[in-house]
């Protein structure tokens, strides 16, 4: 029988220090002026505005899917990620509550030539309509092509109708993924990843006569990347008289998946490859000391008050080469004296960050497995549990509890409207039975073929605002692929609004 874990006594001062450290981890300096990330056309740099006070904090992930795209529109954040056989969108007034927002299915398709493997949707507003760009196939990867939907009204969530296939004449029947829209000189251009003389997944740009019509041949850009495999997911920033194109390189399953960049003057022709200047070296890449691997396939958005620039991207908490367990994360970035964007280093998954300036706030707080908390509540254990710091960067505060003893329980007490449990998934994990306020238990499988940390194991239903309990019970059972029945307890994220 494993001994019951003992937890060291903590003074009120120690708790205060821990909370302050959590708030400080990974914060970046404020911006002096915004970039035009998603707008009808690049605009001159506006006069600096006074940033609103921070309304609270949040921790990643924002979503359990990869390939994120997000914008802020009329008081809400709108996020899409790759979902497979549909396009889904999440809408929330605060960045801190996106993870618990209900998904809105904005598109499914009955056409068998384009209703499978739907990847990387992006949406832009032109006029009073929204245009949703995405890639899909018929079940064969090399049949991926680019498509665009048009909204019926002025709402990012739709409804949408199918508008067109996007295919430059010189690549009419070629593999193509990851559409991004470039806007310079009052014109639109389709940037994407597809076949060219440099890569199977190489950078291409084609002219457009309107948001749904490609009007000429694509030209290829020979982007550097540190790895030979891909150049994909082109995105654009407009500032300091230049347009900055960032893109992801290396296979997305690798821990070395990363972001590179090139730029050109805003008044140059993007269809002339020589106008693009390559910036040497990755501008956003793995941070092993923070447990972040394969950061990339990103997009940009502004804070609600327009004073800050943010990057949203996917990354993994494992160095194993795998396409699974990529989660959506966000952090603020700044600008260098030479006018180029400075994305810094990716933050640890659970790093506490200030919400974007002007965000109305969410009141989120965390409860660690050892009882530390940034809000009201804590956690108690019955039965035999292990505890320690062996999970290092894969855990919140670098520690967790785990047990395989049937009947052992961990009970979180919290005050709010919803709670999420994040912890380690592993090859030797089994089933937990989870219940809220003594209600019916839900069976949750903590097993995964690869060890990953701070995985979202469970999100409660919406609850009346007040005091509640979440109980995690070890069942002692596991699926046929698992080697044991362990259950991990690491971080609980509590939602107040």
């Amino acid at each position: 029988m494993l001994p019951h874990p003992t937890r060291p006594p903590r003074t009120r001062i120690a708790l205060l220090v821990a909370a302050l450290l959590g708030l400080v981890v990974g914060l970046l300096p404020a911006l002096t002026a915004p970039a035009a990330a998603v707008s009808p056309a690049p605009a001159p740099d506006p006069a600096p505005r006074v940033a609103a006070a921070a309304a609270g904090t949040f921790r990643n992930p924002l979503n359990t899917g990869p390939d994120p795209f997000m914008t802020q529109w009329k008081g809400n954040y709108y996020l899409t990620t790759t979902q497979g056989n549909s396009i889904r969108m999440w809408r929330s007034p605060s960045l801190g509550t996106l993870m618990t927002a209900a998904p809105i299915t904005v598109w499914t398709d009955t056409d068998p030539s384009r209703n499978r493997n739907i990847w990387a949707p992006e949406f832009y507003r032109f006029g009073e309509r929204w245009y949703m760009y995405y890639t899909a196939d018929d079940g064969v990867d090399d049949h991926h092509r680019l498509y665009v939907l048009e909204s019926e009204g002025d709402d990012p969530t739709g409804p949408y109708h199918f508008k067109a296939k996007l295919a430059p004449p010189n690549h009419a029947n070629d593999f193509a993924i990851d559409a991004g829209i470039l806007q310079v000189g009052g014109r639109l251009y389709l940037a994407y990843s597809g076949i060219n003389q440099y890569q199977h997944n190489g950078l291409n740009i084609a002219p457009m006569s309107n948001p749904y019509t490609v009007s000429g041949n694509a030209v290829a850009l020979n982007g550097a990347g540190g790895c030979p495999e891909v150049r994909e997911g082109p995105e654009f920033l407009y500032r300091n008289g230049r347009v900055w194109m960032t893109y992801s390189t290396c296979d997305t399953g690798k821990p070395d998946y990363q972001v590179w960049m090139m730029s050109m003057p805003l008044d140059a022709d993007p269809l002339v490859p020589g106008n693009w200047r390559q910036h040497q070296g990755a501008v956003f890449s793995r941070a092993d000391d923070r447990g972040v691997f394969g950061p990339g396939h990103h997009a940009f958005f502004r804070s609600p008050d327009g004073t800050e620039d943010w990057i949203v991207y996917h990354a993994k908490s494992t160095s194993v080469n795998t396409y699974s367990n990529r989660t959506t994360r966000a952090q603020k970035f700044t600008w260098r004296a030479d006018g180029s964007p400075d994305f810094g280093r990716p933050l640890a998954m659970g790093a506490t960050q200030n919400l974007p300036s002007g965000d109305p706030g969410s009141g989120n707080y965390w409860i660690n497995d050892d009882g530390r908390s940034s809000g009201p509540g804590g956690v108690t254990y019955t039965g035999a549990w292990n505890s320690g710091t062996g999970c290092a960067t894969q855990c919140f505060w670098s520690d967790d509890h785990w047990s395989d003893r049937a009947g052992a329980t961990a009970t979180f007490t919290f005050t709010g409207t919803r709670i999420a449990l994040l912890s380690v998934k592993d090859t030797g994990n089994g089933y937990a039975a989870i219940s809220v306020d003594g209600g019916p238990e839900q069976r949750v499988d903590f097993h995964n073929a690869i060890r990953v940390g701070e995985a979202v194991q469970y999100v409660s239903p919406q609850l009346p605002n007040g005091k509640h309990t979440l109980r995690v019970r070890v069942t002692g059972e596991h699926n046929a692929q698992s080697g044991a029945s362990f259950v991990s307890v690491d971080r609980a994220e509590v939602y107040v609004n």
Side-chain angles (χ1 to χ4, degrees):
M1 179 70 71
L2 298 171
H4 189 286
T6 58
R7 285 169 286 168
R10 294 176 300 277
T11 66
R12 296 178 67 182
I13 292 176
L15 283 171
L16 177 59
V17 170
L20 288 173
L21 285 173
L23 291 173
V24 168
V25 170
L27 293 180
L28 299 175
L31 300 175
T32 58
V38 178
S39 60
D45 291 346
R49 282 172 278 180
V50 177
T57 61
F58 78 101
R59 284 147 298 281
N60 287 313
L62 304 182
N63 189 275
T64 57
D67 307 331
F69 185 86
M70 184 158 64
T71 193
Q72 219 274 346
W73 172 253
K74 290 187 175 180
N76 282 296
Y77 299 89
Y78 293 86
L79 168 71
T80 55
T81 62
T82 290
Q83 295 297 300
N85 294 331
S86 66
I87 297 176
R88 290 184 176 183
M89 187 176 287
W90 288 263
R91 176 180 59 201
S92 174
S94 175
L95 197 69
T97 50
L98 264 173
M99 195 179 79
T100 57
I104 302 167
T105 299
V106 301
W107 182 251
T108 57
D109 203 327
T110 57
D111 187 325
S113 71
R114 58 172 192 254
N115 65 357
R116 304 278 298 278
N117 301 314
I118 298 173
W119 295 349
E122 299 195 358
F123 50 101
Y124 300 78
R125 183 176 183 265
F126 300 112
E128 295 184 353
R129 294 289 185 270
W130 290 84
Y131 292 87
M132 180 76 69
Y133 301 86
Y134 67 101
T135 179
D137 67 21
D138 57 2
V140 178
D141 178 59
D142 212 44
H143 293 171
H144 267 105
R145 303 290 185 266
L146 297 174
Y147 303 98
V148 59
L149 312 173
E150 183 182 64
S151 69
E152 302 288 348
D154 195 5
D155 186 339
T157 64
Y160 286 90
H161 59 267
F162 184 82
K163 191 66 177 177
K165 178 182 178 181
L166 298 173
N170 59 332
H171 291 292
N173 296 301
D174 291 339
F175 173 89
I177 61 172
D178 293 357
I181 302 301
L182 168 62
Q183 306 167 61
V184 293
R187 297 193 62 184
L188 302 179
Y189 298 85
L190 174 69
Y192 68 96
S193 177
I195 291 175
N196 62 30
Q197 63 266 42
Y198 305 114
Q199 284 97 19
H200 182 275
N201 295 42
L203 294 173
N204 299 279
I205 299 179
M208 303 181 76
S209 57
N210 57 45
Y212 49 86
T213 305
V214 176
S215 57
N217 287 338
V219 299
L221 300 182
N222 187 14
C227 296
E229 298 95 353
V230 303
R231 310 288 183 262
E232 62 186 19
E235 295 294 331
F236 300 95
L237 290 165
Y238 310 89
R239 180 157 166 158
N240 300 321
R242 299 188 72 82
V243 54
W244 310 86
M245 178 172 67
T246 52
Y247 56 94
S248 299
T249 76
C250 301
D251 189 289
T252 190
K254 289 185 172 181
D256 289 318
Y257 193 62
Q258 57 193 248
V259 178
W260 284 58
M261 181 171 70
M262 60 177 66
S263 69
M264 72 167 200
L266 276 173
D267 58 359
D269 184 351
L271 298 178
V272 176
N275 288 338
W276 291 94
R277 179 169 67 88
Q278 181 71 55
H279 293 251
Q280 296 305 311
V283 295
F284 200 60
S285 58
R286 62 190 285 174
D288 296 37
D289 59 324
R290 296 175 174 179
V292 182
F293 302 93
H297 202 113
H298 59 290
F300 305 111
F301 67 98
R302 286 176 172 172
S303 61
D305 66 3
T307 65
E308 297 173 350
D309 290 319
W310 287 69
I311 181 172
V312 59
Y313 62 97
H314 76 230
K316 301 179 294 185
S317 62
T318 175
S319 61
V320 175
N321 188 342
T322 175
Y323 298 109
S324 62
N325 305 114
R326 295 171 293 165
T327 59
T328 290
R329 313 169 187 200
Q331 63 188 68
K332 188 166 65 175
F333 70 91
T334 59
W335 295 83
R336 295 187 177 92
D338 67 359
S340 63
D342 182 357
F343 302 110
R345 301 178 67 227
L347 302 176
M349 171 84 89
T352 295
Q353 305 179 63
N354 280 344
L355 285 165
S357 184
D359 189 299
S362 58
N364 296 18
Y365 67 93
W366 52 263
I367 302 173
N368 192 40
D369 67 284
D370 66 357
R372 286 178 288 180
S373 175
S374 62
V379 59
T380 59
Y381 297 88
T382 66
W385 289 82
N386 297 287
S387 65
T389 58
C391 58
T393 59
Q394 287 193 315
C395 285
F396 186 66
W397 289 102
S398 302
D399 61 5
D400 71 338
H401 279 63
W402 65 96
S403 176
D404 64 347
R405 301 307 172 97
T409 66
T411 302
F412 288 89
T413 59
F414 64 97
T415 300
T417 59
R418 183 168 277 186
I419 188 170
L421 180 67
L422 297 88
S423 65
V424 172
K425 286 181 175 287
D426 204 353
T427 58
N429 283 7
Y431 292 106
I434 298 179
S435 60
V436 176
D437 295 336
E441 290 184 329
Q442 178 176 331
R443 191 176 174 91
V444 178
D445 193 353
F446 281 43
H447 171 263
N448 197 59
I450 298 169
R451 179 185 173 93
V452 293
E454 293 190 73
V456 179
Q457 308 276 19
Y458 171 83
V459 179
S460 77
Q462 189 78 21
L463 304 168
N465 196 2
K467 293 183 178 180
H468 302 280
T469 60
L470 171 79
R471 191 183 75 161
V472 181
R473 181 176 64 84
V474 180
T475 66
E477 300 169 334
H478 59 82
N479 67 37
Q481 289 72 46
S482 179
S485 302
F486 286 97
V487 167
S488 170
V489 172
D490 183 14
R491 161 164 66 113
E493 191 74 21
V494 178
Y495 300 84
V496 174
N497 297 330

